[in-house]
Amino acid sequence: MISHRLDIYQSIQIDSRQVVGVEGNNPSGHCFVASKIIDCIPCLKSSSVNFPPAKKQDLDPEFASTDQENISELSMIIAAGPFTTIDNLYFEPLSDLLAYARRKLPQLIVLMGPFIDSEHPEIRKCSIHKTFDEIFQLEILKKLQDYVEYMGSSARVLLVPSTRDAHHDFVFPQPPFDVQLHDVKHQILSLTNPGTFNANEVNVGCCTVDILKHISAEMVSRKPADGLPWDGRSKLANHIIAQRSFYPLYPPADVVPLDLSLAPEALNISSVPDILILPSDLAPFVKVLCLGESNDVEEQVKCLCVNPGRLSKGDKGGYFVELNYQGSPQTSSASIVNI
């Protein structure tokens, strides 16, 4: 057996289940002396990769702009559940969000579960008198249908399920919701979890499992004494793309019912999206990620990572993100909004 010694002078941040490459030498034949950790596999930019149909969803052609000046520009409101407070099932935060959207007129609203939260006290106590599907239809889809009918044919809403959705298949990866709204079927759509979609030539990846929180619990880091301070949240998000996976932990956290046999390639990130949406219990943020090393030959690949936070926190409203993507991550603007 060969022993290992790690002499690392670079700053590192890895988790205990991460796949890495190691450079070093074995001068004696008995001890491998590691000098460098390679924790990132170069990824292509999303525009240079053709996704398989099951992996990427294009919003309907009417959504795509015909004005060349608007290509790669997209206004979005991004929110993640729970969508109601813990003291009732009135879904008032969702109503407040849609009222805000009526004033701001985004091209797209992305809503990420849980919608019918299996951890809500009323649902855990089984004190409700409707089925989970009925609550989803009446409190979620009906509100969204009223919104798109009020806004007109240009409004779009995209739903992404969560493993905490009581009315849906909870095993991860998840299929999309079966949304049966014939009058607005092209305006209210659902995506797999995780999944990617394209709107106005902007490629977006999203996953509702709290991978940022799970990775932070497994992370081991080292920073040289003279090293520059780093942004921990950006490091966590960078880690996901570096591992080319929406959920690069195995075995998974106890709360994640992962079954890789359902869709072996569903977790793969084959290219860097323009926007990566990762809702988390951690503090909300919007960060520009710089991937790989900068050099004179190739420009660093950049990605805009969004954690919108939670739309409700306990018995109070929470946060969501209003985002205007304008051609590239570094030229875009975003606001974290408290309701």
Side-chain angles (χ1 to χ4, degrees):
M1 179 180 294
I2 297 177
S3 62
H4 303 79
R5 193 179 81 215
L6 190 62
D7 293 332
I8 298 293
Y9 298 99
Q10 67 185 101
S11 62
I12 61 171
Q13 190 173 41
I14 58 176
D15 72 68
S16 59
R17 311 176 203 185
Q18 183 174 349
V19 178
V20 298
V22 180
E23 288 185 6
N25 58 74
N26 185 5
S28 65
H30 301 287
C31 179
F32 180 80
V33 181
S35 58
K36 182 179 181 181
I37 290 180
I38 303 169
D39 61 353
C40 178
I41 302 173
C43 281
L44 297 174
K45 190 64 179 171
S46 57
S47 58
S48 61
V49 173
N50 292 322
F51 290 88
K55 181 69 176 173
K56 180 178 176 181
Q57 177 172 328
D58 286 295
L59 300 192
D60 62 281
E62 294 181 4
F63 183 81
S65 172
T66 57
D67 185 349
Q68 291 297 318
E69 293 182 356
N70 291 330
I71 293 298
S72 296
E73 295 187 2
L74 181 64
S75 61
M76 308 167 63
I77 285 179
I78 305 167
F83 290 91
T84 189
T85 53
I86 62 172
D87 54 350
N88 63 63
L89 288 171
Y90 298 145
F91 292 86
E92 292 167 335
L94 176 60
S95 298
D96 293 342
L97 175 75
L98 296 177
Y100 183 92
R102 287 187 178 96
R103 299 193 302 271
K104 293 293 186 173
L105 309 178
Q107 294 171 295
L108 175 65
I109 297 180
V110 178
L111 301 179
M112 310 180 72
F115 295 90
I116 312 303
D117 189 3
S118 59
E119 297 185 8
H120 190 282
E122 297 298 318
I123 291 178
R124 291 173 68 93
K125 291 188 298 184
C126 298
S127 59
I128 54 178
H129 302 288
K130 298 174 184 174
T131 67
F132 300 146
D133 283 322
E134 287 174 340
I135 298 174
F136 183 66
Q137 292 288 333
L138 294 173
E139 300 294 346
I140 304 295
L141 294 185
K142 183 61 171 64
K143 285 181 169 65
L144 297 179
Q145 185 173 5
D146 291 343
Y147 165 78
V148 297
E149 289 176 349
Y150 176 86
M151 297 296 291
S153 60
S154 62
R156 296 292 184 274
V157 179
L158 188 65
L159 309 179
V160 186
S162 164
T163 57
R164 282 168 48 183
D165 273 310
H167 68 298
H168 192 57
D169 296 335
F170 63 89
V171 178
F172 182 71
Q174 294 176 280
F177 293 129
D178 183 16
V179 179
Q180 299 290 340
L181 297 172
H182 299 293
D183 294 339
V184 291
K185 64 180 181 179
H186 295 301
Q187 293 181 262
I188 301 177
L189 306 171
S190 183
L191 189 68
T192 59
N193 176 37
T196 61
F197 66 91
N198 178 282
N200 280 12
E201 302 301 319
V202 179
N203 292 292
V204 184
C206 47
C207 179
T208 59
V209 171
D210 195 347
I211 181 59
L212 294 176
K213 184 177 180 180
H214 298 168
I215 286 181
S216 67
E218 299 285 338
M219 194 63 67
V220 177
S221 61
R222 178 189 184 277
K223 183 178 67 173
D226 57 349
L228 297 174
W230 59 25
D231 185 340
R233 292 175 295 181
S234 294
K235 287 287 186 180
L236 292 175
N238 263 303
H239 177 84
I240 294 164
I241 295 180
Q243 291 287 288
R244 292 193 177 188
S245 174
F246 282 106
Y247 197 84
L249 291 181
Y250 191 85
D254 293 340
V255 296
V256 180
L258 176 65
D259 186 350
L260 293 176
S261 67
L262 291 178
E265 298 181 356
L267 302 183
N268 292 351
I269 300 178
S270 54
S271 67
V272 180
D274 299 305
I275 302 170
L276 180 63
I277 307 174
L278 300 172
S280 174
D281 291 337
L282 302 179
F285 65 85
V286 179
K287 298 284 185 181
V288 176
L289 307 182
C290 297
L291 309 165
E293 297 182 358
S294 179
N295 55 56
D296 296 333
V297 179
E298 295 183 358
E299 184 180 353
Q300 274 188 309
V301 177
K302 292 183 172 61
C303 170
L304 192 64
C305 184
V306 178
N307 168 21
R310 304 295 181 186
L311 194 64
S312 70
K313 301 280 286 185
D315 60 354
K316 297 181 175 61
Y319 298 90
F320 65 91
V321 166
E322 183 178 7
L323 172 64
N324 289 294
Y325 188 88
Q326 299 173 335
S328 67
Q330 57 268 39
T331 58
S332 302
S333 61
S335 301
I336 298 172
V337 183
N338 180 219
I339 61 170

